[in-house]
Amino acid sequence: MDPHKRSATIEVMTGDETVIGGGRFDTDQAGFAAMRRYVNQIRPDIEDRVWAVEGCNGIGHHIAMRLLAAGEQVIDVPPKLSARARVFSTGQGRKTDATDAHSVALVGTRMSGLRPVVNDEQLAVLRLLVDRRRSLGEDHTRMISQLHALLLELIPGGAKKSLSAAQAKALLATVRPRDVVGKTRRRVAAELIADLERVYARKKAADKELKELVAATGTSLLDLHGIGPSGAARLLVEVADITRFPTRDHFASWNGTAPIDASSGDNVRHRLSRAGNRQLNRTLHIMATVQLRNDTEGRRYYDRRRADGKTPMEAMRALKRRLSNIVYRAMLDDVMAAQATGPGGQRGSDSDSSATGSQPQHRLFGQATPGPVTPQPRTPLPRVS
């Protein structure tokens, strides 16, 4: 399926890649019902069919959740995989809804191990709240930038960089412009300060709610230095199932902290990866920055890399790569602890058995951080025959 906001284009394909149907349907209630009736006519056994939907964490999320609610099996096809299949199957990369649906069907039929979509209400709530917390932070940054621009016009030299709403209000109280432009500028600055105070209150409430929800999952991520409620929530909602990454190297490649080999001949070098999940990369960057500001193992690891001749940026990238290993180990240990809690394997039912006690920092930053013995992430995708 190639999903859009108001329409979805599907192609029905058997296990031997024979196309037996397809079409374009609206995503409203009537269109969704018509699409399922059409598929039921071709493949009436619901247990014998799988829906491969492109971008289930993005534009395809809304229709994937509706399919799950209807009892269908759904797998997530990453857009990069479908784009490659489109190029290889057509010889060029031209896009139409029909060719996109065909490439998604090819990926879903040929590849095993694609991530099955599940309706995890706990993660869905976390995603909503962490996205809202991020937007509040963006609003704060934008308002602070506007306030700095106004204060620079009202006060010679402007205000200091780290400016709070209370400090801005105290500064503004010392200004009494007499011209019309100055008075208007002061009034707008006062309105921005009032907006900032509301944003501060909302951020505080959002952090409190996120902390409670993240703690309820039983994760040990909050025990890692440099990860707060927002960072832990972002890791949980983006990763979802850590066992889908066979090794920590796969995880680092996915989050963009693994360097890319750019060697040529005798010139051996690596360059920065700008691929991967940028939201997770940002979370790891914040974690590294916090560790560098304090006397931590991360700070000492960074200093060792600088002493080895690395530039500050190279040492920072090495630190982020090592922190990716730590996060991977912590999340994997949480899964192991949840599986060992007894019948049912309730997620996070025993936080004392999580990775907190099994992750001394000196071992994590040693030369030989032991690789995990990862359980099989998923069963192979059943083929439609």
Side-chain angles (χ1 to χ4, degrees):
M1 176 189 293
D2 177 41
H4 295 279
K5 182 178 179 180
R6 294 185 175 86
S7 68
T9 303
I10 67 171
E11 182 173 277
V12 185
M13 180 180 289
T14 63
D16 60 0
E17 300 183 9
T18 301
V19 178
I20 59 176
R24 184 179 183 273
F25 300 87
D26 294 335
T27 55
D28 57 12
Q29 188 173 358
F32 183 78
M35 179 177 67
R36 293 199 65 226
R37 284 196 302 270
Y38 174 78
V39 174
N40 282 329
Q41 292 173 0
I42 302 176
R43 304 298 301 182
D45 189 359
I46 194 173
E47 300 295 333
D48 195 32
R49 65 186 185 223
V50 178
W51 293 75
V53 180
E54 184 181 47
C56 289
N57 283 336
I59 191 60
H61 184 264
H62 69 105
I63 200 164
M65 292 299 103
R66 294 169 68 184
L67 288 169
L68 284 179
E72 302 281 358
Q73 301 179 66
V74 183
I75 56 172
D76 181 21
V77 175
K80 286 186 177 180
L81 286 182
S82 60
R84 292 171 186 169
R86 183 174 63 249
V87 172
F88 290 139
S89 62
T90 63
Q92 39 79 20
R94 295 175 185 171
K95 281 175 59 66
T96 65
D97 290 346
T99 56
D100 282 350
H102 180 69
S103 62
V104 172
L106 287 175
V107 173
T109 304
R110 293 175 179 176
M111 295 192 65
S112 62
L114 292 173
R115 183 175 67 89
V117 181
V118 295
N119 188 11
D120 191 326
E121 292 185 353
Q122 189 178 39
L123 289 184
V125 171
L126 275 178
R127 180 180 293 277
L128 288 171
L129 294 179
V130 75
D131 286 344
R132 174 58 177 160
R133 176 60 180 82
R134 182 187 61 185
S135 68
L136 288 173
E138 292 170 351
D139 290 343
H140 169 265
T141 302
R142 175 179 53 81
M143 292 176 186
I144 284 291
S145 298
Q146 294 174 349
L147 189 57
H148 270 291
L150 291 171
L151 291 177
L152 185 60
E153 299 291 338
L154 292 169
I155 303 172
K160 64 177 185 178
K161 184 177 181 180
S162 54
L163 184 67
S164 67
Q167 292 168 339
K169 182 181 290 187
L171 283 174
L172 199 61
T174 64
V175 179
R176 290 291 185 269
R178 297 182 180 275
D179 59 309
V180 176
V181 176
K183 290 179 180 179
T184 303
R185 190 175 286 124
R186 187 184 187 280
R187 177 173 59 81
V188 173
E191 292 174 356
L192 276 174
I193 292 173
D195 292 341
L196 272 174
E197 289 175 335
R198 287 191 290 270
V199 169
Y200 282 142
R202 291 174 182 172
K203 284 172 60 178
K204 186 176 180 180
D207 286 338
K208 181 180 179 181
E209 187 175 12
L210 273 177
K211 186 174 182 180
E212 293 173 353
L213 289 175
V214 170
T217 66
T219 181
S220 62
L221 290 173
L222 290 175
D223 298 321
L224 301 180
H225 195 97
I227 292 185
S230 296
R234 180 59 65 188
L235 284 164
L236 290 173
V237 301
E238 295 295 333
V239 173
D241 180 15
I242 190 64
T243 61
R244 63 192 176 102
F245 301 103
T247 67
R248 64 188 186 186
D249 299 328
H250 286 77
F251 180 64
S253 178
W254 181 74
N255 62 45
T257 57
I260 297 176
D261 189 1
S263 303
S264 177
D266 295 333
N267 182 19
V268 179
R269 69 182 186 91
H270 295 79
R271 66 175 179 85
L272 172 68
S273 171
R274 299 190 183 278
N277 188 306
R278 304 316 297 172
Q279 296 193 67
L280 246 63
N281 193 280
R282 179 177 182 270
T283 300
L284 293 171
H285 186 85
I286 293 173
M287 183 182 181
T289 302
V290 173
Q291 293 219 2
L292 289 180
R293 291 174 179 173
N294 300 275
D295 184 17
T296 62
E297 285 294 329
R299 177 76 228 191
R300 289 186 281 276
Y301 176 81
Y302 175 88
D303 291 339
R304 289 198 299 270
R305 299 310 298 263
R306 291 285 289 122
D308 291 339
K310 299 293 184 182
T311 66
M313 292 300 295
E314 289 173 339
M316 182 65 162
R317 291 197 290 268
L319 175 59
K320 287 171 64 177
R321 175 66 176 86
R322 189 58 61 95
L323 293 178
S324 172
N325 293 346
I326 295 174
V327 169
Y328 177 79
R329 180 75 255 181
M331 297 187 75
L332 193 67
D333 284 351
D334 288 342
V335 172
M336 299 298 186
Q339 292 176 350
T341 54
Q346 293 297 320
R347 184 178 180 180
S349 58
D350 185 6
S351 59
D352 292 337
S353 63
S354 67
T356 307
S358 65
Q359 297 228 56
Q361 289 184 342
H362 68 276
R363 183 168 68 88
L364 290 170
F365 279 90
Q367 290 184 347
T369 305
V373 180
T374 309
Q376 290 296 323
R378 290 172 301 278
T379 57
L381 173 67
R383 288 175 175 261
V384 178
S385 58

